[in-house]
Amino acid sequence: MGSLKIVISGYYGFDNCGDEAVLLSIIHCLKKLDPDVRITVLSNAPEKTRELYGVDVANRWNLIAVAQEILTARLLISGGGSLIQDATSVRSPAYYLLIIRLALFFKKKVMIYAQGVGPLTDRKNQANTAKLFDRCNAITLRDSGSAQLLRELGVKGEIHVTCDPVMALGSENVSVGAVSKLLLDLGVFRSDGKKGNPLLFVSVRHWKDDRHFAPVAKILDTQASKGWDVLLVPAHFPEDLYALRALCSSMTSQPYIIETCLTAKEFLALAEISDRVFSMRLHGLICAMAVGTPMVGLSYDPKVDSFMKQAGIEDFCLSYDDADLESRGIALFEKTEEPSPSLKLRRQEMQKLAWATAKKAIKLMQ
């Protein structure tokens, strides 16, 4: 039994739709490729994770329980997401590196799964990352910038650049029914279950001095004046809800706002139903790309630029530090069109990459 068991370590159980979408996609791919595989997820909210994904769970903070799960597993998957970075906290990488260290101590196989690495400014974090990553059985990263950073840190092992795991999902994995009642109750859907107007999905977060709220509010008001319904969607709950309320207070038009914690499936379904996505959160953009919804990004972090470049739509990416954010944003929305054949082709290529990552994990089990 133990030979078919995988333990997954990541930022799971924290009500972050992006990370939950990553987990959803990893589980989906692994179970599709090997229906007999047993999966245990290390989670901050074990029972919620068990209920949402139908997997075994362990409390990520209970290191004895974590060690027991790893001891009976064949493979540890570390990722995806931005786990090894110390922009949020210098201590953050230490936890994920400790889990990797545990697996290596027990002589288990370890796969770095489509992670985005960096920024890493602390020298101890840099040294430990290089040392432990070089002992892993497979390193797959979601962007070339992460690969370059690992090389600079001295990682000598083979590195594969893939894409975010969520790109393995598509419209066929989305159930509109997951959010029908929510949108009906909000008034976005009419009584017949259809949209009254084109729908703009908006995901923003607090950042620095929040100077982006005023120009973004103007961009959204302009879209509303052209007949669009603006839907404010919290990606990380409840932090993003506070940001969306602040943005809402800067607007002259009246947007719709979701004030509940969404699941990854609901977040993905909202991206699918919408006619445009405007997102500061990386996974708002990744979900839009996965389901084929046109998008405009607002970059506050290199990871957003990296994804938009990888998707071939860097021209539709605004910068947080742009002094003329309002007029540039309004102009970009004028340009946004239906997905081009080249964008559809790029989506298919990224989908293949995401599936190839999952296949690599299953192969490591053998």
Side-chain angles (χ1 to χ4, degrees):
M1 290 289 280
S3 62
L4 287 173
K5 179 175 166 181
I6 297 176
V7 171
I8 304 178
S9 165
Y11 189 72
Y12 305 128
F14 288 93
D15 291 332
N16 185 312
C17 287
D19 291 281
E20 295 302 314
V22 166
L23 181 59
L24 174 70
S25 59
I26 294 175
I27 293 170
H28 170 76
C29 290
L30 294 177
K31 293 215 165 188
K32 196 85 170 172
L33 293 169
D34 185 353
D36 294 326
V37 72
R38 291 169 56 224
I39 297 171
T40 297
V41 176
L42 309 184
S43 173
N44 181 60
E47 290 312 312
K48 187 172 182 179
T49 299
R50 188 200 306 275
E51 185 182 342
L52 283 172
Y53 306 107
V55 292
D56 293 328
V57 291
N59 188 319
R60 61 177 262 146
W61 304 115
N62 184 339
L63 290 181
I64 293 174
V66 168
Q68 288 172 337
E69 293 296 339
I70 293 173
L71 191 58
T72 57
R74 175 79 169 166
L75 172 70
L76 170 73
I77 283 177
S78 180
S82 306
L83 307 182
I84 312 299
Q85 53 80 24
D86 51 21
T88 321
S89 164
V90 175
R91 293 173 299 181
S92 184
Y95 170 82
Y96 299 106
L97 293 173
L98 172 63
I99 302 303
I100 292 171
R101 197 187 300 273
L102 261 178
L104 292 171
F105 176 79
F106 290 133
K107 295 183 169 50
K108 304 299 177 179
K109 291 184 178 180
V110 178
M111 178 176 180
I112 305 301
Y113 199 109
Q115 282 198 33
V117 180
L120 275 176
T121 55
D122 181 79
R123 290 194 176 183
K124 187 177 179 182
N125 284 336
Q126 292 174 350
N128 286 338
T129 298
K131 182 180 174 183
L132 289 169
F133 272 41
D134 252 338
R135 295 174 60 197
C136 293
N137 299 86
I139 301 174
T140 61
L141 304 173
R142 72 181 178 200
D143 60 84
S144 55
S146 296
Q148 183 181 338
L149 174 59
L150 287 188
R151 289 299 183 212
E152 289 169 0
L153 294 180
V155 174
K156 298 177 179 64
E158 193 175 1
I159 296 173
H160 295 272
V161 177
T162 177
C163 65
D164 192 278
V166 176
M167 288 305 303
L169 301 175
S171 298
E172 66 278 7
N173 305 113
V174 176
S175 168
V176 174
V179 290
S180 291
K181 186 178 185 306
L182 175 66
L183 294 177
L184 193 63
D185 291 345
L186 275 176
V188 175
F189 274 3
R190 300 178 310 212
S191 56
D192 61 0
K194 304 286 185 184
K195 289 179 291 187
N197 298 306
L199 186 62
L200 175 60
F201 171 121
V202 178
S203 172
V204 300
R205 60 167 295 169
H206 283 298
W207 188 249
K208 294 182 179 176
D209 56 3
D210 287 338
R211 64 180 179 274
H212 58 305
F213 284 167
V216 167
K218 295 280 180 60
I219 293 168
L220 300 181
D221 282 334
T222 300
Q223 292 307 112
S225 71
K226 294 177 179 178
W228 285 74
D229 282 340
V230 175
L231 178 65
L232 306 183
V233 184
H236 193 179
F237 196 86
E239 289 89 339
D240 286 5
L241 178 57
Y242 306 140
L244 293 171
R245 284 173 176 166
L247 174 64
C248 187
S249 68
S250 300
M251 295 174 65
T252 55
S253 59
Q254 186 58 51
Y256 296 99
I257 182 166
I258 293 174
E259 298 193 320
T260 55
C261 181
L262 297 167
T263 66
K265 287 182 179 178
E266 290 169 337
F267 191 76
L268 200 62
L270 288 171
E272 159 80 4
I273 288 167
S274 300
D275 299 281
R276 298 283 186 274
V277 166
F278 177 47
S279 184
M280 193 173 174
R281 287 286 188 185
L282 173 62
H283 278 90
L285 301 168
I286 292 172
C287 288
M289 183 71 178
V291 298
T293 302
M295 74 201 83
V296 172
L298 174 57
S299 178
Y300 69 98
D301 186 286
K303 66 185 180 183
V304 177
D305 298 286
S306 292
F307 173 75
M308 295 296 276
K309 187 175 181 181
Q310 187 182 35
I313 48 176
E314 60 266 42
D315 290 347
F316 289 93
C317 193
L318 299 162
S319 170
Y320 179 88
D321 294 316
D322 197 325
D324 201 14
L325 183 58
E326 180 187 333
S327 59
R328 281 210 63 226
I330 290 169
L332 269 193
F333 274 100
E334 290 293 328
K335 278 176 61 181
T336 312
E337 299 171 354
E338 289 304 309
S340 64
S342 62
L343 187 62
K344 290 178 182 175
L345 186 63
R346 185 65 193 130
R347 184 184 313 116
Q348 290 168 357
E349 290 169 354
M350 292 172 81
Q351 192 171 48
K352 285 178 185 174
L353 281 172
W355 276 98
T357 309
K359 287 173 184 174
K360 189 179 286 290
I362 294 297
K363 193 173 180 182
L364 279 175
M365 295 276 286
Q366 296 165 358

